[in-house]
Amino acid sequence: MNARDAILSQLKSGAPGDPAIEAAALLIAPERPRVDAGALEETFLSRLALPSIAATHDLIENIEELPTALARYCAEQGIGTAAYLPPDARLEGCDWSGFTRHETAGIEETVVLAIARCGIAETGSLVFETARDAPMLPNFVALHHVVLLEVEGIVAHLEDAILPGAQPRAHYWVTGVSGTTDIEGTYVRGAHGPRFLHVILTRTPLPRR
């Protein structure tokens, strides 16, 4: 009998469990998964591709290529080139002439662009910070959530995403698309937020705020 079977047997019997058996079960798998520090990008992208996250990705060299990458995604999805862009000064150097830019995001916004502070290879999560030029609400109302992320902003573990120093008023973590499962076990994407998540990685670091 392995540790899992022993614990299940205790649960079914209703008798008090053996702490030693429960502790052994917790030690079967490491608490902190091993992540190859030399393959953070590859590990992060492999997490994005998991069915539980269901995200797509693209790769660009610098932020100037962002409008082209976003237009490419819109064409692949068969949607128009209208999008909400946050009031981030780093986006102003890009050529958005092919887009209809929305200054506010409606409750049925098709595309919202955001810039993530970092990505986490361990889980495929994206970490965002709130600021005057990075409002939080638009990221939860769009059908398509498109996120710009620096390759060098990918960290190995969850703990690595907590940076020292002054913290924003709020920060939030996104792991995959919104989804829920009803009573009959049917999985529905986009139930409480974006239905599609697309990450655009840039190899050139973004200008600092």
Side-chain angles (χ1 to χ4, degrees):
M1 178 182 294
N2 59 33
R4 176 179 180 276
D5 292 336
I7 292 175
L8 291 176
S9 176
Q10 290 287 340
L11 291 174
K12 292 176 181 178
S13 69
D18 184 341
I21 294 177
E22 296 178 6
L26 293 174
L27 294 174
I28 292 175
E31 181 178 353
R32 178 172 162 135
R34 182 179 178 183
V35 174
D36 183 354
L40 295 182
E41 180 182 344
E42 293 82 355
T43 303
F44 177 74
L45 293 179
S46 70
R47 298 292 188 272
L48 291 185
L50 292 174
S52 57
I53 296 182
T56 56
H57 76 275
D58 198 355
L59 182 64
I60 58 179
E61 287 299 321
N62 51 60
I63 194 172
E64 286 77 16
E65 297 178 12
L66 178 59
T68 300
L70 183 56
R72 180 165 55 243
Y73 174 76
C74 291
E76 291 170 351
Q77 296 296 318
I79 55 180
T81 52
Y84 166 81
L85 274 61
D88 192 313
R90 294 173 293 181
L91 299 175
E92 296 307 316
C94 300
D95 179 9
W96 298 104
S97 59
F99 281 82
T100 299
R101 297 177 59 174
H102 295 169
E103 295 184 0
T104 59
I107 60 173
E108 295 183 353
E109 194 73 33
T110 302
V111 179
V112 161
L113 176 68
I115 300 177
R117 194 199 73 194
C118 71
I120 304 173
E122 176 186 351
T123 59
S125 302
L126 296 159
V127 180
F128 301 87
E129 294 181 343
T130 56
R132 288 182 179 273
D133 58 0
M136 177 170 58
L137 183 59
N139 298 300
F140 296 96
V141 300
L143 179 62
H144 297 263
H145 191 199
V146 181
V147 179
L148 179 65
L149 172 68
E150 300 170 313
V151 169
E152 73 169 27
I154 300 173
V155 299
H157 295 99
L158 297 170
E159 301 94 323
D160 301 325
I162 306 300
L163 301 180
Q167 297 296 315
R169 184 173 182 85
H171 68 268
Y172 52 102
W173 301 28
V174 171
T175 307
V177 298
S178 169
T180 189
T181 302
D182 63 18
I183 295 175
E184 296 181 353
T186 302
Y187 176 64
V188 179
R189 287 175 57 179
H192 309 293
R195 187 177 181 186
F196 302 96
L197 174 62
H198 183 65
V199 180
I200 300 176
L201 293 171
T202 173
R203 293 210 178 279
T204 303
L206 300 174
R208 296 303 99 189
R209 283 175 171 168

